[in-house]
């Protein structure tokens, strides 16, 4: 790819646009879209205009929303109309969803009445639902058709549909009653009725189904597409696996950002945000953590008499709270992942907490034994070493239980478990860990 990009840039310098057109003529639209991101704005516009109409639309659909917006701003209105009209309905709705309201409204006015109505229909569904990401370009078949008639219909209209691998069988009221695969059609007796070979055990989703649930269903059954029905069980669209791949990427990105205490960028990549936008995203969460950490400082100040009696205790505070935070973050990570994959639910809370508590306790004993020996080697005091070792056992157990409990509670209250980010759990464990440490020190060292 790097070599191809260099060759394209060389052709731009030579202004050899004939050679440039020939060079990209047989390239995959996804690769061309990636190449465009490496070019200047002027070069992007020129290369895009060298593409054929169908290829240009395919390339445009692979671009990120900010790249799409940048290209559209440089095109004449007639070119914009051609691109928007030829886009698949779901990709077009996604584009408008990412555009500022004023730009989206202008693009809607450029569409034909039919395409505008279809796009408005998709945009009318809730965000992150099946209705919002589905396409109405599905292959519909009537139950009284013969197999031969169905294949003839596929040849006639298949080019316009999102996929022809599944045909959705409907009754006279357009209610979904079955599904038939292209494989079944090709292998069946041409004279048979569609109703005879259709699978009537259809798995479908409603228009308001959450997109993450759709991803889980497609993953479970290995479908290439999933039918979407309205409240009357009428087929209104399908969600294809390529759209769900984008959803999975977006959801994973959002969860990663949240795990780091950041809000996922809505309209552009994080790395393309301006300096102010980056700082604004990070500041709020870090301020909360900063204020929370003041409790740790207050606890240490309140235990000044203990530190005056045994100054060496202060040396092990970073070790203990960092270890506790690490254990808690590990527990929260596995629990959040388990919730996302539906391997566990809130009903499994007691079992999960018992298991993670046991894991934390055993980890604490093993780590505590090591740190006890190390503390004795450094300080030469068996009592101080015991304080550090026993504190680590208690802190590890508490951190593991806390890291598992908080995501479960969030799910119970219908909040995103990913919001229980590692920084937040670490801060909570820091406060509790320091308190435990000084209480153990008072008890063992007789400083009460």
């Amino acid at each position: 790819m790097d070599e191809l990009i260099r060759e394209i840039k060389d052709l731009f310098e030579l202004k050899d646009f004939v050679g440039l057109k020939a060079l990209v003529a047989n390239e995959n639209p996804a690769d061309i879209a990636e190449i465009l991101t490496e070019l200047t704005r002027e070069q992007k516009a020129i290369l895009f205009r060298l593409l054929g109409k169908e290829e240009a639309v395919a390339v445009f659909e692979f671009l990120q929303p900010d790249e799409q917006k940048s290209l559209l701003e440089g095109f004449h209105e007639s070119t914009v109309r051609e691109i928007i009209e030829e886009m698949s309905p779901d990709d077009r709705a996604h584009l408008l969803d990412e555009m500022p309201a004023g730009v989206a409204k202008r693009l809607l006015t450029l569409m034909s009445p039919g395409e505008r109505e279809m796009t408005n229909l998709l945009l009318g569904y809730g965000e992150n639902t099946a209705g919002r990401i589905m396409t109405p370009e599905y292959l519909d078949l009537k139950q009284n058709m013969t197999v031969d008639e169905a294949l003839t219909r596929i040849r006639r209209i298949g080019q316009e549909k999102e996929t022809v691998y599944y045909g959705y069988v409907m009754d006279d009221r357009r209610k979904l009653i079955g599904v038939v695969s292209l494989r079944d059609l090709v292998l069946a007796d041409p004279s048979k009725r569609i109703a005879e070979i259709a699978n009537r055990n259809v798995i479908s989703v409603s228009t308001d189904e959450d997109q993450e649930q759709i991803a889980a269903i497609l993953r479970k059954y290995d479908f290439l597409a999933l039918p979407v029905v309205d409240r009357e069980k009428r087929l209104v669209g399908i969600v294809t696996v390529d759209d769900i791949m984008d959803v999975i990427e977006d959801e994973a990105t959002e969860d990663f950002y949240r795990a780091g205490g950041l809000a996922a960028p809505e309209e552009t990549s994080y790395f393309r945000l301006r300096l102010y936008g980056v700082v604004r995203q990070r500041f709020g969460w870090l301020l909360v953590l900063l204020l929370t950490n003041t409790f740790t400082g207050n606890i240490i100040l309140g235990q000044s008499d203990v530190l005056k009696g045994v100054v060496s205790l202060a040396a092990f505070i970073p070790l203990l709270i960092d270890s506790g935070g690490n254990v808690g973050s590990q527990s929260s990570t596995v629990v959040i992942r388990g919730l996302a994959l539906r391997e566990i639910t809130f009903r499994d809370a007691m079992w999960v907490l018992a298991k993670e508590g046991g894991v934390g306790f055993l980890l604490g004993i093993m780590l505590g034994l090591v740190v006890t020996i190390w503390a004795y080697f450094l300080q030469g005091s068996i009592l101080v070493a015991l304080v550090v070792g026993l504190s680590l056992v208690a802190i590890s157990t508490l951190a593991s239980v806390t890291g598992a409990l908080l995501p479960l509670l969030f799910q119970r209250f219908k909040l995103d478990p990913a919001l229980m980010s590692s920084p937040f759990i670490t801060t909570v464990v820091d406060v509790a860990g320091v308190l435990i440490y000084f209480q153990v020190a008072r008890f063992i060292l007789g400083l009460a």
Side-chain angles (χ1 to χ4, degrees), residues 153-382:
R153 177 172 173 76
I154 292 173
R155 295 188 192 99
R156 188 175 73 253
I157 68 171
Q159 193 68 31
E160 305 168 2
K161 304 303 178 182
E162 186 81 9
T163 178
V164 296
Y165 297 114
Y166 296 124
Y168 298 96
V169 186
M170 296 181 288
D171 62 15
D172 296 335
R173 297 181 179 179
R174 297 195 64 81
K175 287 188 177 181
L176 181 64
I177 61 172
V179 62
V180 59
S181 69
L182 183 61
R183 174 190 175 93
D184 294 335
L185 287 172
V186 172
L187 297 178
D189 184 337
S191 62
K192 273 193 172 183
R193 298 287 176 184
I194 292 296
E196 297 179 58
I197 66 171
N199 178 7
R200 294 181 178 270
N201 184 24
V202 185
I203 297 174
S204 61
V205 295
S206 62
T207 54
D208 58 356
E209 189 77 62
D210 185 83
Q211 60 185 19
E212 285 193 82
Q213 179 63 23
I214 298 170
I217 294 173
L218 284 173
R219 182 174 61 243
K220 178 179 179 180
Y221 295 102
D222 287 331
F223 289 155
L224 296 176
L226 195 62
V228 182
V229 297
D230 60 16
R231 294 180 180 178
E232 285 75 37
K233 302 300 179 183
R234 293 174 301 193
L235 184 62
V236 292
I238 60 172
V239 176
T240 56
V241 69
D242 59 316
D243 293 323
I244 286 300
M245 292 298 292
D246 293 335
V247 168
I248 292 173
E249 180 181 352
D250 291 342
E251 294 289 347
T253 300
E254 182 179 342
D255 287 346
F256 272 116
Y257 275 106
R258 286 180 170 177
L262 294 168
E266 295 181 357
E267 296 184 5
T268 188
S269 165
Y270 170 84
F271 296 102
R272 295 182 182 180
L273 288 174
R274 294 186 178 182
L275 183 62
Y276 171 74
V278 174
V279 173
R280 181 171 55 85
Q281 281 202 357
R282 295 189 179 188
F283 176 76
W285 189 249
L286 290 175
L287 179 62
V288 172
L289 297 178
L290 176 67
L291 295 176
T292 306
N293 272 317
T294 59
F295 289 107
T296 306
N298 287 333
I299 292 173
I300 294 174
L301 287 175
Q303 304 294 330
S304 58
D305 57 326
V306 177
L307 290 176
K308 287 179 182 178
V310 186
V311 177
S312 59
L313 289 173
F316 297 99
I317 292 177
L319 180 150
L320 292 174
I321 61 177
D322 285 350
S323 297
N326 293 336
V327 171
S329 295
Q330 288 180 339
S331 293
S332 68
T333 299
V334 297
V335 171
I336 290 172
R337 186 61 177 165
L339 290 170
L341 296 178
R342 291 175 173 77
E343 295 177 342
I344 57 174
T345 65
F346 187 78
R347 288 177 294 182
D348 304 310
M350 295 305 297
W351 171 76
V352 172
L353 293 178
K355 181 175 182 179
E356 286 303 307
V359 169
F361 180 70
L362 291 176
L363 286 173
I365 290 177
M366 291 187 288
L367 294 173
L369 180 61
V370 174
V371 82
T372 298
I373 296 172
W374 181 244
Y376 180 73
F377 174 76
L378 290 177
Q379 301 296 330
S381 170
I382 187 62

Side-chain angles (χ1 to χ4, degrees), residues 45-64:
I46 293 174
L47 181 58
F48 196 82
R49 288 189 174 93
L50 292 175
L51 302 174
K53 183 178 178 180
E54 292 185 3
E55 188 179 19
V57 173
V59 170
F60 189 81
E61 291 180 340
F62 277 109
L63 293 172
Q64 293 298 314

